[in-house]
Amino acid sequence: MDLNYTPEEKSFRQEVQIFLKENYPAYLQDKVAKGVALKKEDYVHWQKTLYEKGWVAPGWPVEYGGTGWTPVQKYIFEEECGAANCLRLTSFGLVMIAPVLLKYGTEEQKQKYLPGILSSDTWWTQGYSEPNAGSDLASLQTRAEKQGDYYLINGSKTWTTHGHYGDMMFALVRTSKEDKKQKGISFILFDMKSSGVSVEPIITIDGLHVVNQVFLDDVKVPIENLIGVEGEGWSIAKYLLQHERTNIAQVPRSKKQIERLKLLAEKEIHNGKSLLLDPFFRAKISEVEVELMALEMTSLRALSKVSVGESSSMTSSLLKVKGTEVQQKITALLMEAVGYFSLPYFNGVLMDGWQDGTPVGPEEAAFLAPHYFDWRKTSIYGGSNEIQKNIVAKVVLGL
Amino acid sequence: MNLELTEEQCMLQDILSRFLSDQYTFDQRQKLSQQGIGYSEQNWQNFAELGLLGIPFEEQYGGFNFGATGLMIVMDAIGKGLVVEPYLSTVVLGGQLIQKAGSEAQKLDLIPQLIEGKLKLAFAYIERQSRYELSNVSLKAERQADSFFLTGSKSVVFNAETADKIIVTVRTSGNNRDKNGISLFLLDKGALGVSMKNYHTVDGLRASELFFDQVEVSHDAIIGELDAAYPIVEQIIDGASAAICAEAVGVISQLREKTVEYLKIRKQFSRPLSDFQVLQHRAVDMFMAEEQMRSLSYLANIKIDGGSRSEQIRAISAAKVYLGDSRSVVGEQAIQLHGGVGVTDELDVAHYYKRLTMLNNLFGDRDFHLERFGQVELV
Ligand SMILES: Cc1cc2nc3c(=O)[nH]c(=O)nc-3n(C[C@H](O)[C@H](O)[C@H](O)COP(=O)(O)OP(=O)(O)OC[C@H]3O[C@@H](n4cnc5c(N)ncnc54)[C@H](O)[C@@H]3O)c2cc1C
């Protein structure tokens, strides 16, 4: 047992630090630090920079553009990105559909899609959830009927993150009715510009537009867009869930947020002293820090298992639940730190920052309540925290 | 002992629930909140006609003298309907400040107008550095002959944009954080030298930043005694805290009711969510929090009408602590149990949750009141 990094790992960390310092733009650092909404071009800009460096897809095999890093190196990279306020690349292409293509795709499919994912020239969206199929995903109803050399798709997908940016969607659709509902599901890709696809915005609790409902009305999809074989969709989706989800706990991000919280609290005054010195507030920060400390060590233990070639899938639910709890608590404390200044709401500021306007209260105050509200989503999506606990109960504890 | 509502209180409750179901659907509320002045002048006049604006005021000024327990009934309904009209600012804060501290002439002049719906008030007492400390007042007054010149700023002043008059806490002597030396001034809307930056709040209301640049006010504009406003401000804010605890009860009851309803309707895994015991228990937690919160709200409001000062402070701070805790037990839980729809702007539940969250941040949050609770010795 050893918590220390090897000399090679230390010099790798330095290399990452230098690269980020030289290449991660100040305006993005500022946006992420303050919590200004990110635009498509922000994501694309940073992804292209990483792409040119060859660091865009640490999880991929080297021959397709991966980095060949060890799990520890990947972790170091995530840590440094968190510390530098790097924006998190969207995962739909790089971390979700790519591993599926690599495992189940034909050679043509890989050639066709992987380069665009890597370079961020194709924007992918995830079409799993439907209005009546959330936690119970297998009950999805969107149909794909085979008609000659294409499928005709009808139905609706919802909560589609960045659907309005999307070029391509990977979706779960029903290709046949079977006694067991998981059996008739297939995994398919389609062009979101196809006729019959319409994208309607859903405005979330923070007043912003990130998610969408996507309506599919007689959408013609060539049969070569099917992944694997018909009826294999559910196993593919499960593979994706079990696929190594690096950084699911988001420890580096939470550390950065705690640092931010302390800086903010230090400047606020409570009973004539810095709020950071208030024992009540300080105790709450400490409580989150204790939980985060445990979470970091649990993450490292999981990482160590992966490094020696063992599976760590049993911990991914734990990391998700505890990770989101920590993140949510931090957003609440950030909001509480500014007291009354959590109240003023400026939609335009959430989108573009204060620009030349004079902030009301501390500059970042306007972001804090909307973020706190928005961050409730993290215990709902990606398999809700209740569903994660069901999995642990069943798979880990055998209940 | 009898903790049931009186006949009068029941009548008031009926009037309010009829008003809400006839004229205050969630869609109507959203429209009001987003457009124009942020509420309906017509509704305000209806409030006047229904007698709601006279609830806490003494009979000789045209009020009903129903006290804090009367306000409690109104505030509960305000919570249930997510009402956006400026009741808290005008009646609970501004009106009661005048009733408690104003001269006879001021009361005779202002309170009847208020009750008739012709006068709206705002109370400006928060500053950039003050957080929840009421003695943290630095907006300064300089005296020249019979006039005062005010310079400084106030933050997050609810309903200032539409108020006819604004009551301002001012440092007339001593230093920031001294309890002595704070005075209340009554300013006309549009007084020379006052400028405003108006905005929406995250929970669908309106507030403003106020900037004072050598604003001239006469000696007559003082409410109560010069330099001696602190205890009055503290009492009024305590009353308002108890009032928003009642509002919170209304909000919480809706969150609980709507969540329980949703668990019954929403089906996943071929059965209603209400079949899952883990979710049943969470709904039960919400229900228990609601009843405990209601108890503390009753206690706080009853003590305002009759308790000793230390009893009042303990009961009010206790209720405020509970309010703060209900943010997660009730608010966050309601969102979680709704799944994705819980985090949409379209769903009323999200807006109840936002209001509940912001009620914690008004007049001292959970930590503030936990500390205050512990500092009061019962005598
Ligand atoms: C901001 C956001 C972005 C999203 N982005 C995408 C996307 O890009 N693509 C996509 O396909 N989907 C996306 N989703 C959808 C997300 O995956 C679903 O919201 C999630 O699966 C939950 O489903 P639901 O919302 O229908 O809630 P429901 O399944 O209706 O659940 C409601 C509540 O019941 C609980 N519950 C349900 N079943 C059980 C059970 N058996 N035991 C105990 N508790 C249970 C849940 O945990 C939850 O608390 C997104 C969601 C959000 C909020």
Side-chain angles (χ1 to χ4, degrees):
Chain A
M1 231 182 247
D2 185 5
L3 254 181
N4 297 314
Y5 291 103
T6 65
E8 294 77 44
E9 286 163 349
K10 282 182 190 156
S11 78
F12 174 73
R13 185 185 292 279
Q14 223 168 24
E15 188 189 346
V16 175
Q17 282 169 347
I18 292 169
F19 172 77
L20 294 179
K21 211 170 154 132
E22 288 172 355
N23 294 280
Y24 185 59
Y27 79 93
L28 285 180
Q29 211 171 312
D30 189 57
K31 270 186 146 180
V32 173
K34 289 181 184 141
V36 180
L38 296 165
K39 299 192 163 64
K40 181 173 179 174
E41 59 259 33
D42 296 330
Y43 289 102
V44 171
H45 179 94
W46 181 228
Q47 185 166 338
K48 286 223 181 282
T49 310
L50 285 173
Y51 172 67
E52 275 151 28
K53 173 75 178 171
W55 283 1
V56 75
W60 292 22
V62 178
E63 61 269 34
Y64 289 100
T67 53
W69 290 340
T70 63
V72 176
Q73 282 179 306
K74 288 183 206 168
Y75 188 79
I76 290 173
F77 181 69
E78 290 290 350
E79 263 196 322
E80 292 305 323
C81 287
N85 272 321
C86 288
L87 67 78
R88 283 170 60 79
L89 300 180
T90 53
S91 49
F92 302 116
L94 290 165
V95 188
M96 293 186 162
I97 185 60
V100 166
L101 288 167
L102 287 166
K103 174 144 169 112
Y104 295 92
T106 61
E107 207 39 50
E108 289 81 34
Q109 287 171 332
K110 289 182 203 171
Q111 294 305 331
K112 186 166 177 193
Y113 298 117
L114 290 176
I117 295 173
L118 211 55
S119 68
S120 77
D121 290 328
T122 320
W123 192 286
W124 285 81
T125 65
Q126 179 190 27
Y128 279 18
S129 306
E130 296 179 7
N132 291 314
S135 298
D136 180 16
L137 187 57
S139 66
L140 60 94
Q141 296 297 326
T142 295
R143 273 174 305 121
E145 274 172 71
K146 202 177 202 165
Q147 301 198 345
D149 56 358
Y150 61 83
Y151 286 99
L152 199 61
I153 302 190
N154 277 290
S156 164
K157 292 292 173 182
T158 196
W159 310 120
T160 317
T161 301
H162 291 151
H164 52 309
Y165 296 163
D167 301 308
M168 292 290 294
M169 175 179 272
F170 59 92
L172 293 176
V173 292
R174 191 162 293 287
T175 39
S176 68
K177 276 212 153 50
E178 308 269 344
D179 47 343
K180 198 164 178 285
K181 57 188 181 182
Q182 283 83 355
K183 269 200 209 158
I185 294 174
S186 301
F187 197 107
I188 204 164
L189 320 176
F190 62 83
D191 187 334
M192 291 190 73
K193 309 282 181 314
S194 315
S195 101
V197 179
S198 56
V199 180
E200 296 290 334
I202 297 174
I203 304 302
T204 41
I205 190 163
D206 51 0
L208 299 183
H209 172 206
V210 177
V211 292
N212 305 271
Q213 184 161 6
V214 178
F215 297 91
L216 306 167
D217 189 12
D218 280 342
V219 181
K220 278 187 181 174
V221 178
I223 48 172
E224 63 264 25
N225 283 21
L226 187 77
I227 301 291
V229 295
E230 269 192 23
E232 202 186 3
W234 192 252
S235 350
I236 299 176
K238 266 175 57 185
Y239 165 76
L240 187 48
L241 284 178
Q242 286 154 6
H243 189 267
E244 181 204 344
R245 292 202 271 175
T246 51
N247 197 22
I248 187 174
Q250 296 219 30
V251 172
R253 187 180 180 284
S254 290
K255 278 186 169 174
K256 191 76 189 170
Q257 292 297 308
I258 286 187
E259 193 183 295
R260 176 186 180 202
L261 171 62
K262 287 180 176 170
L263 285 172
L264 185 67
E266 195 172 15
K267 284 182 273 169
E268 292 302 300
I269 306 295
H270 173 73
N271 289 341
K273 284 191 308 228
S274 158
L275 178 62
L276 194 60
L277 300 175
D278 174 51
F280 286 78
F281 199 74
R282 189 59 194 234
K284 292 202 294 192
I285 300 180
S286 299
E287 272 167 13
V288 184
E289 283 188 289
V290 168
E291 191 76 51
L292 183 58
M293 192 181 263
L295 184 64
E296 179 170 31
M297 196 57 193
T298 306
S299 300
L300 290 172
R301 283 172 53 218
L303 187 71
S304 159
K305 282 236 180 320
V306 176
S307 305
V308 298
E310 284 177 41
S311 153
S312 78
S313 65
M314 72 144 200
T315 45
S316 85
S317 292
L318 188 168
L319 297 178
K320 200 262 172 179
V321 171
K322 289 292 165 189
T324 54
E325 284 175 2
V326 165
Q327 292 164 47
Q328 290 176 336
K329 279 184 192 146
I330 299 171
T331 62
L333 292 179
L334 280 161
M335 168 181 71
E336 288 172 24
V338 296
Y340 281 107
F341 293 102
S342 58
L343 279 141
Y345 178 75
F346 303 93
N347 188 281
V349 172
L350 295 182
M351 299 288 294
D352 299 310
W354 280 102
Q355 307 279 351
D356 298 328
T358 312
V360 173
E363 183 176 357
E364 48 189 312
F367 300 95
L368 301 177
H371 282 182
Y372 159 72
F373 293 129
D374 177 49
W375 227 250
R376 303 316 307 169
K377 70 188 176 189
T378 61
S379 51
I380 294 169
Y381 66 26
S384 76
N385 285 14
E386 287 76 20
I387 295 298
Q388 301 294 347
K389 287 183 186 176
N390 287 350
I391 293 171
V392 175
K394 199 167 151 189
V395 180
V396 184
L397 305 181
L399 295 172
Chain B
M1 186 174 35
N2 179 357
L3 291 174
E4 303 311 307
L5 298 184
T6 64
E7 207 174 309
E8 275 167 347
Q9 289 169 333
C10 286
M11 268 171 59
L12 183 57
Q13 212 171 35
D14 287 345
I15 292 172
L16 286 159
S17 68
R18 216 168 317 125
F19 171 77
L20 288 185
S21 57
D22 292 352
Q23 304 183 39
Y24 228 88
T25 63
F26 175 67
D27 288 345
Q28 284 169 318
R29 184 267 184 188
Q30 285 304 85
K31 278 207 191 86
L32 291 179
S33 159
Q34 280 148 24
Q35 294 167 2
I37 56 171
Y39 65 89
S40 151
E41 189 54 42
Q42 182 58 49
N43 282 343
W44 192 253
Q45 295 313 316
N46 288 345
F47 282 12
E49 274 158 38
L50 293 171
L52 302 180
L53 305 183
I55 296 291
F57 302 112
E58 289 160 20
E59 275 118 349
Q60 70 258 41
Y61 309 111
F64 293 104
N65 207 11
F66 281 178
T69 45
L71 283 177
M72 180 177 85
I73 310 285
V74 182
M75 293 305 289
D76 177 78
I78 285 179
K80 280 192 179 125
L82 283 179
V83 169
V84 289
E85 278 68 22
Y87 196 85
L88 186 68
S89 300
T90 297
V91 177
V92 180
L93 291 166
Q96 295 205 99
L97 271 171
I98 290 168
Q99 171 154 280
K100 206 144 254 156
S103 67
E104 197 55 27
Q106 285 168 329
K107 290 193 232 182
L108 282 170
D109 174 27
L110 300 171
I111 295 178
Q113 287 188 58
L114 189 161
I115 293 174
E116 283 172 40
K118 291 182 187 143
L119 175 75
K120 287 191 213 72
L121 299 170
F123 182 35
Y125 65 98
I126 303 161
E127 296 185 5
R128 169 65 188 89
Q129 79 296 337
S130 65
R131 203 170 170 82
Y132 301 121
E133 197 182 26
L134 298 172
S135 61
N136 200 322
V137 174
S138 67
L139 188 138
K140 265 200 329 265
E142 269 173 48
R143 194 166 189 169
Q144 285 178 20
D146 225 18
S147 287
F148 291 88
F149 290 86
L150 312 188
T151 302
S153 60
K154 292 286 173 184
S155 287
V156 200
V157 184
F158 282 95
N159 306 108
E161 188 184 2
T162 48
D164 304 292
K165 290 180 190 291
I166 300 172
I167 301 171
V168 188
T169 54
V170 178
R171 169 74 47 204
T172 37
S173 71
N175 295 313
N176 191 17
R177 303 191 65 219
D178 287 350
K179 289 184 180 171
N180 285 325
I182 298 169
S183 309
L184 291 168
F185 281 79
L186 182 70
L187 262 65
D188 277 332
K189 174 195 191 140
L192 215 62
V194 181
S195 54
M196 289 192 191
K197 180 187 172 97
N198 306 316
Y199 46 80
H200 294 234
T201 64
V202 287
D203 50 355
L205 303 177
R206 301 295 172 91
S208 308
E209 299 296 288
L210 262 53
F211 307 96
F212 298 76
D213 183 14
Q214 292 285 324
V215 179
E216 182 175 2
V217 278
S218 78
H219 203 279
D220 302 343
I222 295 178
I223 302 176
E225 275 177 55
L226 190 69
D227 290 341
Y230 180 81
I232 290 160
V233 172
E234 196 186 29
Q235 268 188 50
I236 292 299
I237 294 293
D238 271 345
S241 302
I244 63 164
C245 285
E247 180 178 353
V249 172
V251 172
I252 288 168
S253 72
Q254 292 303 291
L255 284 167
R256 189 262 307 152
E257 210 174 294
K258 286 171 193 291
T259 304
V260 167
E261 215 35 57
Y262 190 73
L263 291 179
K264 290 184 197 161
I265 310 167
R266 173 70 171 170
K267 281 200 173 132
Q268 289 290 279
F269 305 99
S270 316
R271 75 202 85 163
L273 291 179
S274 57
D275 276 11
F276 297 110
Q277 213 159 43
V278 65
L279 301 184
Q280 289 176 9
H281 285 195
R282 310 257 296 257
V284 171
D285 288 340
M286 293 172 76
F287 166 76
M288 291 181 173
E290 176 189 345
E291 289 304 328
Q292 296 280 80
M293 182 69 220
R294 183 170 287 118
S295 299
L296 287 174
S297 164
Y298 277 14
L299 184 69
N301 284 291
I302 289 170
K303 288 295 178 193
I304 288 183
D305 284 344
S308 71
R309 192 67 191 119
S310 57
E311 283 179 328
Q312 285 178 356
I313 293 176
R314 275 173 66 91
I316 291 161
S317 285
K320 245 340 219 115
V321 168
Y322 223 86
L323 195 174
D325 286 335
S326 68
R327 182 187 78 202
S328 60
V329 185
V330 180
E332 294 173 357
Q333 199 104 263
I335 299 302
Q336 182 70 19
L337 298 193
H338 275 81
V341 288
V343 292
T344 61
D345 181 66
E346 208 183 310
L347 195 76
D348 50 6
V349 167
H351 296 266
Y352 283 100
Y353 165 52
K354 288 199 237 186
R355 183 68 186 146
L356 184 60
T357 300
M358 288 304 135
L359 289 175
N360 176 47
N361 298 359
L362 298 189
F363 312 132
D365 62 7
R366 178 192 181 279
D367 294 355
F368 175 93
H369 283 285
L370 198 60
E371 188 178 1
R372 187 172 183 240
F373 181 90
Q375 286 168 348
V376 181
E377 293 298 329
L378 258 188
V379 280

